[in-house]
Structure formats: C-alpha cells, structure tokens
Amino acid sequence: MDTNSLHNIINNYKNKKTNEDLSNITKKNYIKMLNDMGTGNENIIEFLVNNENDNDAINEKFNFIKRQGWLKSNNKKVNQGRSLNYLVFLNQLVNNVDYEFSKRTKDKLTKHIKEISVKNRELKDDKSSFDELKIDWTNYCQKVDEMNKLPISKKNINEILLFNLYRHYPIRDDFGEIRLVDKDLDENVNENFYNFYSNILHLRKYKTHKKYGNKKFLLNKYLESLINIQLELGKEYLICNDDNSLIKNGKLNKFLTRISTKYFEKSLTINDIRHSVITHHSQFSSIKTRRNLANIMLHSIETATFQYQLHELS
C-alpha cells in the first residue's frame, strides 16, 4: 500500500472516546511515526508485505522499531513508552489497510507489543518506588501557613491563592481556566467555573472527566476571602493576569515552578505537590481518608498507590 493511501487512513482516524476527528497535531505525529518506521522509499506496510515470508527480516524490523533505530545518536536513551506507541500505531495500520496479513505476522507484532508493555510497566513501577520526593507534605503546609502571614497585594495574590488551592485541592493543572461567575452555568456547558455567590468550585473539564463526571467543591472561608480579593481587583478568572488574560494559556505548571523558589527555596511542579500529599496520606491516613483524597484529586486510589506514591525525601 502506497504512502498516500496510508496518509488517507490516518486522516480518517477518529478519536475512540469522542468519535471526533483527530487534531492536526495528532495526525502530524502519526505521519512522522509512519515516516520513522519506513526504509528509504518503502513504507512500513510495504516492507511487511514484501517480506512477509522472511521471518528474520520481520523480526529485525520490529526490533528496529523497539530500539527506535531512526534516532541519530546511538547514545540517546530509548523511551520505552514511545516505542510502545509506535508498535501500537503500527498494529492499528495493519488492521486497517486493505491487505490480509498472515496470522504469523500479526502474532509476531502482538508478541513484541506485549513484551515492551511488560518492560514499560516495570520501568514505571521502578520509578514509582524510587523517585525522590521534592518536598514533605507537612513542610509544604507549613510554608503555605507562613505565606498566608504576608501582606496580600495585587502582585502576590495569584501566588498565594494558587498554593492555597493546591494545599486543599491538589488537582492536576486545571486552575488556570476557572471563570468567576455569579450563577451556575448550564449543565451542558463544558467549562470550569467558580460561583462566588455559592462559594462552589465546579470542574467539568479535566483529564478524567469521562470517568468521574462533573465535580463540585465547597471552598473554605480563607480561600473564599482570597477569591473575593481577586473579584475586587476586577479579575474574571480564578488565576489570571491583571488584564484578565490567561497565564500561559491557562496552564499554570511553569508559572508555579517559577514562583515556587520564592516561597519554598526550591522549584516545585504540580506533580511534586500531588506526589507529596499522596505519600503523606499513604503513610499516615486511613483507607477512607485516602479514598476521599483520591476523589478530590480526580483519580482512583489505585492510581495514588501505584503511580504517584513516592518514598524517599531528597
């Protein structure tokens, strides 16, 4: 099958969850993956068809993909997760082209996917067990308490509010596009917002929304007082620039990392904070408390246990 035909297949792919067209960025990534796996003028599907009876050639090609042989530097560390993405994408192509591959070829591809899946999972397990914890949760809370004693001004309100939000609601990078409104938005509006009359934060647009649905959080009085300062300053979003434009297009991780050195004497990321609170509660809290925390963090308690829990303080 010629490369143009494969491009047409990629352009017609749909998102399995939403049944919508893929974004242009995703399509470009797939086409790049297709080009990486090719050899000269022969794309990967043409190679598999032309060499279907040559077991050694097929195996070597799959191994070439696993080690990402197209990388320029042989010393560059191979990202196992990326290798898995390539093989899974190839499997999609094999099952969508107008050609019936032999069971042997399909089985070989499935075997390689399983092998690298196991290896990738083991690497993730190792990372979860041995990554260093950037900050202890008790220390984080103490630093936020110290921060709250500072005079609040137009210059630091975003910073103080943001770290207080993550103290009580350590969600992912979702505080950057929360609109301040005086009444609840219609149920069909896919947008995060804070109703300043009811003091309720509404999350409708986040990574695991399909699984957990719309979330509502009644904020504490101190957070409410900080948000009232934002309203007095004419802010239209929970965290935003003085002209009401979004900070970093609504993604606050880089902003948080930059300002964290001012208050914690080290740079922190949002994931560092999430790791810290999970590690603390996994050691000192009941299962019920940990389940409540997982609900706030918008993931399962299994995710907290096996992906985020860290053990060693740097």
Side-chain angles (χ1 to χ4, degrees):
M1 177 168 281
D2 65 88
T3 301
N4 287 334
S5 298
L6 296 179
H7 285 185
N8 289 334
I9 290 175
I10 292 171
N11 287 326
N12 288 321
Y13 274 158
K14 300 284 186 181
N15 184 305
K16 288 185 178 180
K17 294 182 178 179
T18 64
N19 200 35
E20 296 177 351
D21 290 340
L22 299 180
S23 68
N24 289 331
I25 292 177
T26 301
K27 291 177 183 178
K28 286 180 180 178
N29 285 337
Y30 279 162
I31 289 174
K32 179 184 181 303
M33 292 165 75
L34 178 65
N35 294 336
D36 286 341
M37 291 187 290
T39 305
N41 294 324
E42 190 177 50
N43 66 56
I44 181 61
I45 297 299
E46 290 172 333
F47 177 88
L48 295 179
V49 171
N50 295 334
N51 293 276
E52 193 160 14
N53 295 320
D54 189 337
N55 288 334
D56 292 339
I58 295 290
N59 274 325
E60 174 53 34
K61 190 63 173 179
F62 289 156
N63 285 321
F64 171 83
I65 295 171
K66 286 167 68 175
R67 67 175 183 270
Q68 297 173 45
W70 53 84
L71 295 176
K72 293 181 179 179
S73 174
N74 293 328
N75 296 323
K76 190 171 182 179
K77 187 176 180 180
V78 173
N79 183 316
Q80 297 293 331
R82 184 176 293 276
S83 298
L84 179 60
N85 289 340
Y86 273 84
L87 290 173
V88 170
F89 168 62
L90 176 57
N91 192 52
Q92 289 178 317
L93 285 179
V94 166
N95 287 287
N96 280 277
V97 297
D98 187 20
Y99 180 84
E100 186 59 39
F101 284 94
S102 68
K103 183 176 182 299
R104 182 175 57 188
T105 298
K106 290 183 177 181
D107 286 348
K108 284 182 182 295
L109 179 54
T110 300
K111 179 183 177 183
H112 282 277
I113 289 175
K114 288 181 178 178
E115 287 176 353
I116 199 168
S117 295
V118 170
K119 189 172 183 180
N120 193 45
R121 184 167 61 248
E122 289 173 348
L123 288 171
K124 284 184 176 180
D125 290 345
D126 288 343
K127 187 176 188 301
S128 296
S129 297
F130 300 112
D131 275 359
E132 292 184 340
L133 191 62
K134 288 289 287 292
I135 188 169
D136 175 77
W137 182 243
T138 301
N139 183 239
Y140 177 86
C141 293
Q142 289 173 344
K143 292 291 187 181
V144 173
D145 286 341
E146 293 173 8
M147 188 187 311
N148 292 339
K149 296 176 183 178
L150 298 172
I152 297 176
S153 66
K154 185 177 180 180
K155 290 184 177 181
N156 67 9
I157 179 62
N158 275 336
E159 301 169 0
I160 292 175
L161 175 56
L162 185 59
F163 287 118
N164 273 279
L165 284 167
Y166 275 109
R167 175 178 181 173
H168 298 284
Y169 303 96
I171 61 176
R172 296 182 179 87
D173 193 352
D174 295 309
F175 284 127
E177 291 184 281
I178 296 180
R179 194 148 59 96
L180 304 178
V181 298
D182 58 2
K183 62 180 180 181
D184 289 357
L185 303 182
D186 291 340
E187 286 297 324
N188 61 347
V189 176
N190 182 32
E191 186 176 346
N192 297 332
F193 63 94
Y194 169 79
N195 184 331
F196 51 79
Y197 281 132
S198 64
N199 188 31
I200 293 178
L201 174 67
H202 296 253
L203 294 180
R204 299 180 179 177
K205 185 179 179 182
Y206 60 93
K207 182 178 179 180
T208 51
H209 178 270
K210 186 173 182 180
K211 183 174 183 179
Y212 299 110
N214 294 347
K215 289 289 185 179
K216 299 179 183 179
F217 299 110
L218 178 65
L219 304 191
N220 63 42
K221 291 298 181 181
Y222 184 67
L223 283 172
E224 183 181 18
S225 69
L226 292 177
I227 297 171
N228 284 337
I229 294 174
Q230 295 283 57
L231 291 169
E232 291 170 3
L233 292 170
K235 297 293 184 67
E236 297 176 3
Y237 289 89
L238 197 62
I239 306 287
C240 63
N241 293 310
D242 291 342
D243 63 358
N244 281 314
S245 61
L246 297 177
I247 298 174
K248 302 291 184 182
N249 296 316
K251 293 303 177 184
L252 300 178
N253 190 55
K254 289 183 178 179
F255 172 71
L256 183 145
T257 299
R258 177 172 60 80
I259 64 175
S260 60
T261 55
K262 185 191 306 184
Y263 302 101
F264 300 93
E265 299 175 347
K266 64 178 72 176
S267 61
L268 300 176
T269 66
I270 290 171
N271 266 348
D272 289 332
I273 297 173
R274 285 166 63 85
H275 291 169
S276 178
V277 63
I278 288 175
T279 299
H280 175 83
H281 284 287
S282 68
Q283 294 171 342
F284 302 109
S285 300
S286 66
I287 290 293
K288 182 178 180 180
T289 300
R290 290 162 61 190
R291 289 192 186 281
N292 289 337
L293 176 65
N295 180 60
I296 291 173
M297 297 183 72
L298 308 175
H299 62 209
S300 67
I301 191 171
E302 290 78 18
T303 297
T305 302
F306 296 111
Q307 182 170 343
Y308 281 105
Q309 183 179 344
L310 306 178
H311 304 288
E312 188 176 340
L313 183 64
S314 59

